[in-house]
């Protein structure tokens, strides 16, 4: 028979694996009597673990949520995943960086040497681009409030910095919160604006939620049905979840294998020896023409006419710049 301390850890590990455990099955897994299981459950309760007894023909136990966080038991893969997640959290911009760092230190201290070595070989460093200001931090309480409103499907009133035509602060916004997302290192709330009858994305670091929340609502369907596609389209400047607002087709005097390394979401196809067909999108026609010009190759525009106009505009601008 295992020693009491080892048996308690084994019992705790089993209780964390599934919601309900029949007492007889726990006794069988631990190779002890049901009476010993009852005594061990009482010991875990004394240590702060909220274990509820399940009534019924079989009887059993369940590890419930309590008012305080008791010590937790993780297997090797869970411990490594937790440590990696905590390192990522220190660069999340969610206002929890210091707490995540302290939690990582706590987890690392109790890890066995074999796991500590695995964690110590992974170091994540956040590097900011030169000349770019650091992203504003979001108060973790704000994130929790927004997330709670999304989960409860309750109308949210929020203050968002903007001005009316006469320069006075805008009144609170009334929205149906649908998703809390991250994009480019920032947090955003995707919501249906009740006053404007349209979808909006709000920067979470600028949002001040008001309490109490409003009535519950039935979620609307996002355009395209996918939050990732919707947010991507909005930041491209398009209401179409399927693509960019400006999309053109050209022939480049470069092999497809060369262009495809840098084309990201463009479509690149072979178009003969040393040539390729490229279909690419951008937020503007001038932006698309500029992006195609960076390949340093001869370009033949297939269409549309707006793309040819953009190349002509850039040609005039660059000619002026070259002769100045």
């Amino acid at each position: 028979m295992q020693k009491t301390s080892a048996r308690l850890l084994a019992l705790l590990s089993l209780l964390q694996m599934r919601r309900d455990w029949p007492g007889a099955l726990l006794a069988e897994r631990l190779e002890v009597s049901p009476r010993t299981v009852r005594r061990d459950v009482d010991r875990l309760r004394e240590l702060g673990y909220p274990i509820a007894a399940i009534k019924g023909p079989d009887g059993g136990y369940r590890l419930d949520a309590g008012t305080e966080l008791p010590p937790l038991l993780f297997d090797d893969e869970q411990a490594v995943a937790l440590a990696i997640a905590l390192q990522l959290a220190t660069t999340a911009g969610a206002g929890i960086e210091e707490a995540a760092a302290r939690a990582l230190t706590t987890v690392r201290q109790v890890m066995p040497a074999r796991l500590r070595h695995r964690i110590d070989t992974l170091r994540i460093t956040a590097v900011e681009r030169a000349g770019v200001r650091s992203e504003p931090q979001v108060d973790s309480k704000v994130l929790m409030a927004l997330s709670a409103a999304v989960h409860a499907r309750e109308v949210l009133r929020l203050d968002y910095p903007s001005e009316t035509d006469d320069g006075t602060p805008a009144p609170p916004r009334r929205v149906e919160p649908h998703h809390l997302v991250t994009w480019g290192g920032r947090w955003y709330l995707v919501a249906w604006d009740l006053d404007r009858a349209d979808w909006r994305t709000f920067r979470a670091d600028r949002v001040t939620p008001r309490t109490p929340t409003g009535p519950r609502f039935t979620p609307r369907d996002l355009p395209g049905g996918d939050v990732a596609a919707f947010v991507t389209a909005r930041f491209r400047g398009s209401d179409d979840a399927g693509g960019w607002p400006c999309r053109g087709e050209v022939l480049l005097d470069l092999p497809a294998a060369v262009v495809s390394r840098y084309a990201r979401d463009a479509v690149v196809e072979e178009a003969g020896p040393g040539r390729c067909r490229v279909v690419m999108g951008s937020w503007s026609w001038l932006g698309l023409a500029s992006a195609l010009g960076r390949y340093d190759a001869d370009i033949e525009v297939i269409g549309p006419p707006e793309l040819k106009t953009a190349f002509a505009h850039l040609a005039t601008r660059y000619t002026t710049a070259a002769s100045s």
Side-chain angles (χ1 to χ4, degrees):
M1 183 183 298
Q2 294 175 306
K3 293 183 179 180
T4 301
S5 58
R7 194 175 64 245
L8 288 177
L9 290 176
L11 173 58
L12 179 59
S13 179
L14 290 173
L15 289 171
Q16 291 179 163
M17 287 174 57
R18 51 184 281 182
R19 179 168 176 78
D20 297 327
W21 277 94
L25 182 56
L26 280 175
E28 179 183 342
R29 294 289 294 269
L30 296 171
E31 299 181 350
V32 296
S33 67
R35 182 179 178 183
T36 300
V37 171
R38 288 195 296 271
R39 288 201 303 264
D40 287 348
V41 166
D42 288 338
R43 291 189 180 99
L44 287 177
R45 287 170 175 161
E46 292 173 358
L47 294 173
Y49 293 95
I51 302 174
I54 304 171
K55 297 181 180 180
D58 296 331
Y61 303 95
R62 173 189 305 152
L63 183 60
D64 282 343
T67 58
E68 295 182 355
L69 184 66
L72 302 176
L73 185 66
F74 299 103
D75 62 30
D76 286 6
E77 294 304 316
Q78 288 175 322
V80 171
L82 177 61
I84 293 174
L86 288 171
Q87 287 202 46
L88 293 174
T90 61
T91 64
I96 58 172
E97 288 74 10
E98 182 181 350
R102 287 189 285 108
L104 179 60
T105 299
T106 300
V107 171
R108 185 186 178 281
Q109 284 177 342
V110 298
M111 277 185 170
R114 66 181 186 280
L115 296 184
R116 194 181 305 122
H117 174 72
R118 291 174 62 181
I119 294 303
D120 289 345
T121 60
L122 175 65
R123 289 297 177 190
I124 301 172
T125 303
V127 179
E128 298 180 359
R129 288 178 296 170
V132 178
R133 292 181 299 176
S134 59
E135 300 296 347
Q137 297 293 299
V138 184
D139 190 330
S140 59
K141 294 180 181 178
V142 171
L143 289 181
M144 295 302 296
L146 298 181
S147 180
V150 170
H151 179 75
R153 297 177 179 176
E154 294 176 342
V155 172
L156 183 66
R157 294 183 306 131
L158 56 88
D159 291 317
Y160 199 70
S162 60
E163 294 182 350
T164 58
D165 293 337
D166 60 2
T168 60
R173 310 281 283 268
R174 298 184 310 117
V175 303
E176 296 177 353
H178 281 254
H179 294 84
L180 189 62
V181 302
T182 60
W183 173 275
R186 285 179 175 167
W187 291 82
Y188 293 88
L189 175 68
V190 177
W192 175 263
D193 193 313
L194 291 168
D195 299 318
R196 292 160 177 78
D198 193 12
W199 291 98
R200 291 289 191 271
T201 53
F202 300 91
R203 273 180 50 175
D205 59 286
R206 295 179 178 175
V207 169
T208 303
R210 290 198 173 195
T211 56
T213 53
R216 293 176 62 86
F217 63 88
T218 300
R220 305 168 190 264
D221 293 330
L222 271 173
D226 179 74
V227 65
F230 171 80
V231 172
T232 300
R234 280 301 171 101
F235 281 100
R236 286 174 172 175
S238 170
D239 289 329
D240 179 10
W244 293 95
C246 302
R247 197 168 182 84
E249 179 180 350
V250 301
L251 292 174
L252 287 179
D253 283 351
L254 281 175
V258 174
V259 175
S260 60
R261 299 177 199 164
Y262 313 100
R264 304 184 71 174
D265 60 349
V267 177
V268 183
E269 298 176 345
E270 290 286 356
R275 301 192 84 197
C276 66
R277 170 181 170 270
V278 180
V279 179
M280 184 184 291
S282 181
W283 57 274
S284 72
W285 293 113
L286 285 176
L288 179 56
S290 299
L292 290 166
R294 67 192 174 97
Y295 288 104
D296 191 22
D298 289 341
I299 303 171
E300 179 183 344
V301 179
I302 305 300
E306 291 85 352
L307 181 56
K308 288 188 177 183
T309 301
F311 274 114
H313 185 85
L314 285 180
T316 300
R317 177 176 294 173
Y318 291 157
T319 299
T320 303
S323 60
S324 62

